Amino acid sequence: MGHILVLPDDLRAKLNTACADAAAHDQWLAIGIDTVDDMINRIVDDLNTAYPGMSITSIREENKNTVKLQIGSSGNVSMFVGYFENDRGFVDALFFYILPDASNANDFFPAKIMPPLFGIYNNIKDRTKDLHIHYRPVFIINLCTTSRVNNASVKKQMICCEALNFNYYDIFQNEYHDVIGRTDADGNAITKLYSFGELDQLLGEDKQLGPFFIEFDLSASAGEHKKQIKNKLLHYLWSDVHRASYKSEVHLFKEDIGTFKKLYECFEHDTQIFSSAFINTL
């Protein structure tokens, strides 16, 4: 059975914007794509190669409101979504795209994918009691030109997609190891997770290091280094270490530091932040 890939018409507008950006267009040219039509054809070709069972025979562009109606979503947001239409005119699967703009890639799962799905759930809630399993396959194609290497937010979303059995494809071939960042015993990049035990291990690593990891640029100024410490280390100390110290008699920070804002200000003005009780334990 062949399928028509129905794309939201605003995708072309966003691709036109990306194509007009010199840096983004250079990334396109690097993988043999010159025009917007080239990109759309590549999407079809790559999806057919990666998922031959979908057998895309043609494309059609529709207004996003028409798409929303066809997929049966009653939510307020149905951007970034299209669908695979079978030869009987029914929706067999959903298609999502991640914008070429790098600033939109880090929250693609909660901001671009889940709202339409929740809209569909809301629309079927009176017809079924099972609101947890979506019966249509989900295909996500990433058009972002920037690889999110070791990005903690993207890492979590990749794992969510994996756990929900969503089909993720990166047009620029940025694989999962960009965000998982681990290798197996033979040194090969880990690009898939096969159990919830592996999922738990990876998220555990992310909780310990992900949002707080500091990688200094040795060529940066002392002021830039201090800014990194403020944005990362202080947040870690306040969110994890300081709160844990409530369980002991030795608190990490001075008593007059009761908010993160106060901690931030004291550090900014080179004021002592640690409690004397903590210092005496060193």
Side-chain angles (χ1 to χ4, degrees):
M1 177 187 295
H3 289 93
I4 299 172
L5 178 59
V6 180
L7 302 173
D9 55 10
D10 57 350
L11 172 59
R12 181 175 290 274
K14 293 180 175 68
L15 289 176
N16 280 328
T17 300
C19 188
D21 180 84
H25 190 241
D26 284 344
Q27 295 277 8
W28 289 22
L29 292 173
I31 59 172
I33 296 174
D34 185 19
T35 67
V36 170
D37 283 331
D38 289 342
M39 176 61 83
I40 292 175
N41 289 335
R42 174 65 65 85
I43 291 172
V44 172
D45 290 344
D46 282 9
L47 286 176
N48 274 334
T49 300
Y51 311 103
M54 298 310 296
S55 184
I56 303 169
T57 57
S58 62
I59 65 167
R60 187 174 76 245
E61 298 177 37
E62 295 278 10
N63 178 271
K64 62 183 180 183
N65 292 321
T66 302
V67 171
K68 178 180 175 180
L69 180 65
Q70 285 298 107
I71 65 176
S73 175
S74 61
N76 294 324
V77 180
S78 288
M79 298 173 64
F80 314 104
V81 58
Y83 59 91
F84 293 79
E85 181 181 281
N86 64 29
D87 55 10
R88 294 176 295 168
F90 296 146
V91 177
D92 273 353
L94 299 179
F95 168 91
F96 292 87
Y97 68 91
I98 301 173
L99 284 171
D101 181 2
S103 65
N104 289 277
N106 289 350
D107 65 346
F108 71 88
F109 185 75
K112 312 300 191 301
I113 296 173
M114 293 313 298
L117 294 183
F118 283 133
I120 294 173
Y121 294 152
N122 186 59
N123 195 41
I124 66 174
K125 66 182 180 182
D126 294 329
R127 288 179 281 150
T128 177
K129 294 181 180 179
D130 187 359
L131 302 181
H132 303 286
I133 300 176
H134 189 268
Y135 66 93
R136 291 169 177 153
V138 171
F139 293 84
I140 305 164
I141 190 157
N142 191 355
L143 304 175
C144 181
T145 56
T146 302
S147 171
R148 284 84 46 229
V149 178
N150 290 329
N151 183 292
S153 174
V154 173
K155 180 190 292 184
K156 292 178 180 178
Q157 294 173 85
M158 293 288 190
I159 300 309
C160 287
C161 290
E162 185 84 358
L164 291 170
N165 202 31
F166 291 171
N167 303 284
Y168 173 89
Y169 186 85
D170 192 312
I171 202 76
F172 293 97
Q173 299 298 303
N174 294 313
E175 298 289 350
Y176 282 141
H177 62 261
D178 282 336
V179 289
I180 289 180
R182 289 195 294 139
T183 58
D184 61 21
D186 298 321
N188 300 311
I190 296 175
T191 61
K192 295 285 184 181
L193 298 178
Y194 296 100
S195 71
F196 282 105
E198 292 178 347
L199 168 61
D200 184 61
Q201 179 184 355
L202 183 62
L203 292 182
E205 293 171 355
D206 179 61
K207 182 178 181 182
Q208 296 170 42
L209 296 177
F212 308 118
F213 184 75
I214 302 175
E215 184 176 351
F216 278 123
D217 178 359
L218 296 179
S219 65
S221 66
E224 285 297 314
H225 288 166
K226 185 174 181 179
K227 181 178 179 181
Q228 281 188 295
I229 290 177
K230 285 189 297 184
N231 291 336
K232 293 283 188 175
L233 181 58
L234 289 185
H235 181 52
Y236 166 68
L237 291 175
W238 181 265
S239 299
D240 279 33
V241 181
H242 179 56
R243 291 183 178 180
S245 74
Y246 289 156
K247 300 178 181 179
S248 71
E249 296 180 356
V250 179
H251 289 184
L252 181 64
F253 298 125
K254 295 170 63 177
E255 290 184 2
D256 62 341
I257 299 179
T259 65
F260 181 73
K261 179 181 179 182
K262 177 69 173 178
L263 173 65
Y264 195 92
E265 291 173 348
C266 288
F267 184 84
E268 181 68 20
H269 293 94
D270 295 321
T271 302
Q272 174 61 262
I273 61 175
F274 296 112
S275 70
S276 57
F278 170 72
I279 293 175
N280 289 336
T281 66
L282 300 179

